[in-house]
Amino acid sequence: MSSFWHWYITIGSIGYIVAIVWLLQVTRKTKSDETTTDELMDHSYDGIQEYNNPMPRWWIQLFYITIIFSIGYLVLYPGLGNWKGTLGWTQQNQHEAELAKANEIYNPIFEKYGAISIPQLVAEEPKAIEMGKRIFLNNCAVCHGSDAGGVAGFPNLRDKDWLWGGSPDKIVESISNGRTGTMPAWGGSLDELSLQQVTSYVFSLSGRKADKDLAEAGKATFQMYCVACHGAEGKGMDILGAPNLTDNIWLYGGSPATVTKTIREGRSGSMPAHADLLSKDKIHLVAAYIYGLSNTVVEIK
């Protein structure tokens, strides 16, 4: 914080306190003569008038108590610009202290489950799966949904369709390191007829209704432009994150217009790495929860 803002905040805060004390003093009204007649105010409302009497003493005392409290607070804690307070308290220090205390309690539990294989956790440790679910909800649900069902552009984690592989190790790798998938745009290389032909051929790969002539013409174009990633049979490649086009599962939508748009404009998706956000054991638990969604061995509530 610059020197200007330091003094601006400091002088302003102290000035407000002094102003409040002054206001309490000048507005305090005392009666030197107990026989003085009470003064009625000129205004009235609904036939009701009030006396021009001072506030009750106990009320004034409460104001002074709050002022004393505020002065003590500003001495002990940050509040006057760059002043750090005599206690040296900061939000970061408190957060780190609370986090250290929580880790001391919970890390042994995470380490216990981290030493058990993911398939075994799914089969034998429902409490561990519940822990993984809670971590998932706090960190992953914003993209994949609270039920892990995904939305357009964010994969459904409840089925057996995996862009980068669905083994326990691959799931851990995806969570830890993140993933970046890119499909190039082919609109600059293919005209509209060619795009429709490739779309029809892609539809035919998954058994969907497609124009046979267009699909047959699109096969040659697919072999020229698409096999490098999706493979000759269109089953995709885990190593590249290229989707399987034969299973009728669509990340961005499977309507003819959407598929054509995907081919024409390409797609780009990124999943952030969580290795710096979650410990290795927590990632292990999240992976177990996700693995269990499509490899159900125990009932996951």
Side-chain angles (χ1 to χ4, degrees):
M1 183 182 298
S2 68
S3 176
F4 169 79
W5 288 111
H6 164 72
W7 288 111
Y8 178 85
I9 295 172
T10 301
I11 294 173
S13 299
I14 296 175
Y16 286 136
I17 295 174
V18 173
I20 292 171
V21 173
W22 173 82
L23 184 62
L24 288 173
Q25 290 293 323
V26 299
T27 58
R28 185 177 62 180
K29 181 179 179 182
T30 60
K31 297 180 180 180
S32 59
D33 185 359
E34 295 182 357
T35 63
T36 301
T37 305
D38 289 329
E39 178 187 356
L40 275 172
M41 303 294 289
D42 293 334
H43 65 269
S44 64
Y45 178 79
D46 200 20
I48 300 174
Q49 284 185 285
E50 62 179 341
Y51 289 111
N52 185 19
N53 290 331
M55 291 185 293
R57 182 175 297 177
W58 64 267
W59 201 346
I60 295 290
Q61 291 172 344
L62 282 179
F63 275 117
Y64 284 118
I65 290 173
T66 60
I67 292 171
I68 294 171
F69 174 84
S70 66
I71 294 173
Y73 183 92
L74 292 175
V75 170
L76 297 174
Y77 296 96
L80 296 176
N82 292 326
W83 169 252
K84 299 183 182 301
T86 58
L87 295 181
W89 177 92
T90 66
Q91 290 179 329
Q92 182 177 352
N93 290 342
Q94 181 174 343
H95 172 73
E96 291 176 352
E98 292 177 355
L99 183 62
K101 184 177 180 179
N103 287 337
E104 184 179 352
I105 297 172
Y106 297 113
N107 276 353
I109 301 174
F110 292 132
E111 291 172 0
K112 169 190 171 183
Y113 290 130
I116 302 175
S117 70
I118 287 176
Q120 186 177 350
L121 287 177
V122 175
E124 301 175 3
E125 299 290 349
K127 289 184 178 180
I129 301 304
E130 284 297 321
M131 292 174 64
K133 179 179 180 180
R134 288 193 292 271
I135 299 172
F136 174 90
L137 291 174
N138 287 331
N139 295 274
C140 316
V142 65
C143 292
H144 295 284
S146 58
D147 64 347
V151 292
F154 300 94
N156 178 2
L157 304 178
R158 305 185 70 91
D159 58 26
K160 291 184 177 295
D161 187 68
W162 299 92
L163 293 176
W164 303 91
S167 67
D169 290 343
K170 286 294 184 180
I171 296 174
V172 169
E173 183 180 325
S174 294
I175 299 171
S176 301
N177 303 329
R179 298 292 188 183
T180 300
T182 301
M183 173 178 168
W186 297 108
S189 303
L190 302 175
D191 58 25
E192 284 301 314
L193 177 58
S194 297
L195 291 171
Q196 296 298 325
Q197 291 170 344
V198 176
T199 297
S200 296
Y201 178 69
V202 169
F203 270 36
S204 70
L205 291 175
S206 57
R208 300 180 66 181
K209 184 178 180 180
D211 185 286
K212 291 184 179 180
D213 294 335
L214 289 176
E216 185 62 31
K219 181 177 181 179
T221 306
F222 182 91
Q223 296 293 328
M224 180 179 298
Y225 290 96
C226 312
V227 295
C229 294
H230 294 285
E233 298 179 351
K235 293 186 176 181
M237 295 185 185
D238 291 350
I239 192 172
L240 298 175
N244 180 359
L245 303 177
T246 68
D247 57 11
N248 202 23
I249 297 176
W250 306 90
L251 179 59
Y252 291 94
S255 68
T258 302
V259 174
T260 301
K261 179 179 180 180
T262 298
I263 300 170
R264 180 192 299 112
E265 301 177 6
R267 297 289 186 182
S268 180
S270 178
M271 172 182 167
H274 285 73
D276 294 334
L277 302 175
L278 299 174
S279 67
K280 180 179 178 181
D281 295 324
K282 289 182 180 179
I283 290 175
H284 189 78
L285 286 173
V286 175
Y289 167 68
I290 294 173
Y291 181 79
L293 291 174
S294 56
N295 296 272
T296 306
V297 180
V298 295
E299 182 181 0
I300 301 175
K301 299 179 180 179

